[in-house]
Amino acid sequence: MTGAPLLLVEDTPSLQLVYESVLASAGHDVHSADDAESGLAAFKALRPPVVLLDLVLPDRDGLDLMQDFLAIKPDTQVIVITANGSINKAVAAMRAGAHEFLVKPFDEQRFLSAIDNALSVVRAPSRKSGRDDRPPPDFIGQSATMRALYRKIRSVSRSMATVFITGESGTGKEICAQAVHDFSNRAEGPFVPLNCGAIPSELLDSEVFGHVKGSFTGAISDKPGAAAAADGGTLFLDDICELDLNLQTKLLRFLQTSTIQPVGAARSRKVNVRIICATSRDPLQEVRRGRFREDLYYRLHVVPIHMPPLRERGDDVVAIAEAALTRFSHEEDKGFRTLDSEVKALFRKLPWPGNVRQLLNVMRHVVVLNDGQAVTKNMLPIELHHQLERRDAEPVERLAPHVTLEGLVGRSLAEIERMVIEETIARHGGSVPKAARVLDVAPSTLYRKIEAWKNGD
């Protein structure tokens, strides 16, 4: 319990009575108001640590009232309540500083869990201000873009809001998710990552929600699943747009009820999990194409964080390369200390389609195959020189023979397919995953075709 009572602002008398009864039974002291005017007056008098706020009030918009609460007492944890048709408004409230939102109808346990989560934030030791733009652990770089990202990570970590991380492959989305977890009041709990794109679709249900022994062929024992393993902590769903539509329905139900039901289980159980998800696709485009549920998108896309590509981070590329050089040289017992000026200039110019992951692979390659004090241009993989040449080449001249109908007529469909695939990969700096997104196929499809061409099939 905290010293001050909770404040409930709800204009429907029957719901107000129900909420008061549930809260009182759980041992909470609660003060109620039935409109914005009386709610604001009560807030000024009580300075409550937690407010339960219906967004639809008779005399004023609930979102505006919440802004007044936070202006008076910024550390107030506001839980907004909304109807199913107004999730967009609840998402706007989360982005404006609400702690969490509940969609009517919700069950008693979900209601009380939200209160307990908000109170745990109140009781937690104060953390760094959202203005702190120092790099979190595992981040390197002081570009303006990254400093803004660091501030956002620290800011959103204090909320229960679902974080949706976007960015190209290799930009560090999982590192970002880990940082949000580490700065949150759940830092002592588990951080459970699950790559939705790396698990066969027929096993995803079991991987996320678990299964009981004998529920399907191969289920030789009970398995808790990622959602249960993350109880009390954070569940990170990477490649969220790869989720099967049927599993998306289950995930939506999980977000609404905080309950899971393992495959083959007769009963469901409650878990207390914060969701962070990530994708390298455009999630809204996936919604438009019918591959991602719109209601799930709005439920997950509460606080968006975009990881910038390496080519937009200026001198960060040199800082990351030199930090990796130091680490790999120590691991491999080599004598490298720095990059020479020509390599630094080249790194700033390269498009880096594989982003930080590609840069780390390049530095590992250099250290393993070479030695010296400074990395020189001749030590770099030949693929980097090719990328720079493609970047500097004029795309129109390079593609002209292939984009005309005359250039395609007379060729077989297989030849045309190969031309299009190879040219798309070249346009995207040799990145097969990027080309796959443009061509709207799975990367594995392109890898199989490339392997077949190499073997002469």
Side-chain angles (χ1 to χ4, degrees), residues 81-306:
I81 301 171
T82 186
N84 190 55
S86 304
I87 290 180
N88 285 357
K89 195 170 183 180
V91 169
M94 295 291 287
R95 293 174 179 168
H99 172 75
E100 192 171 358
F101 70 90
L102 300 173
V103 179
K104 302 174 184 176
F106 45 81
D107 63 26
E108 179 177 323
Q109 188 57 50
R110 176 81 173 104
F111 183 52
L112 293 175
S113 292
I115 301 291
D116 290 343
N117 288 334
L119 287 172
S120 69
V121 174
V122 174
R123 299 184 185 112
S126 60
R127 298 186 178 269
K128 293 290 184 181
S129 165
R131 294 186 297 273
D132 190 341
D133 59 3
R134 294 174 301 165
D138 297 324
F139 276 95
I140 298 171
Q142 285 291 349
S143 61
T145 301
M146 293 306 290
R147 290 199 304 270
L149 174 68
Y150 304 152
R151 288 192 294 269
K152 190 165 191 178
I153 287 173
R154 284 179 167 85
S155 176
V156 305
S157 67
R158 298 190 296 270
S159 168
M160 267 295 290
T162 301
V163 177
F164 202 118
I165 307 170
T166 57
E168 296 176 7
S169 178
T171 50
K173 294 186 288 293
E174 183 168 346
I175 294 175
C176 177
Q178 180 75 61
V180 172
H181 171 77
D182 290 343
F183 282 115
S184 75
N185 66 314
R186 294 172 169 259
E188 300 302 318
F191 175 81
V192 180
L194 185 70
N195 190 328
C196 301
I199 300 170
S201 58
E202 63 271 15
L203 297 179
L204 265 173
D205 197 345
S206 170
E207 290 293 327
V208 176
F209 300 113
H211 64 251
V212 298
K213 180 180 178 180
S215 56
F216 55 85
T217 303
I220 59 176
S221 61
D222 290 353
K223 180 175 181 176
D231 195 7
T234 301
L235 175 61
F236 173 53
L237 298 174
D238 199 4
D239 283 339
I240 186 71
C241 288
E242 306 302 322
L243 272 182
D244 178 83
L245 282 169
N246 289 329
L247 195 57
Q248 289 179 30
T249 302
K250 287 193 173 185
L251 179 59
L252 181 63
R253 189 180 307 120
F254 168 54
L255 292 169
Q256 291 171 336
T257 65
S258 296
T259 61
I260 59 172
Q261 186 164 1
V263 177
R267 295 182 179 180
S268 58
R269 56 162 291 198
K270 291 281 183 180
V271 291
N272 179 6
V273 172
R274 182 186 190 176
I275 299 289
I276 300 177
C277 55
T279 183
S280 55
R281 295 178 180 266
D282 179 346
L284 195 53
Q285 186 65 27
E286 295 300 293
V287 170
R288 295 187 182 117
R289 292 177 176 176
R291 295 194 295 228
F292 201 75
R293 288 182 60 120
E294 185 175 17
D295 48 3
L296 180 59
Y297 167 79
Y298 286 115
R299 191 76 199 223
L300 290 173
H301 202 266
V302 177
V303 178
I305 294 181
H306 182 69

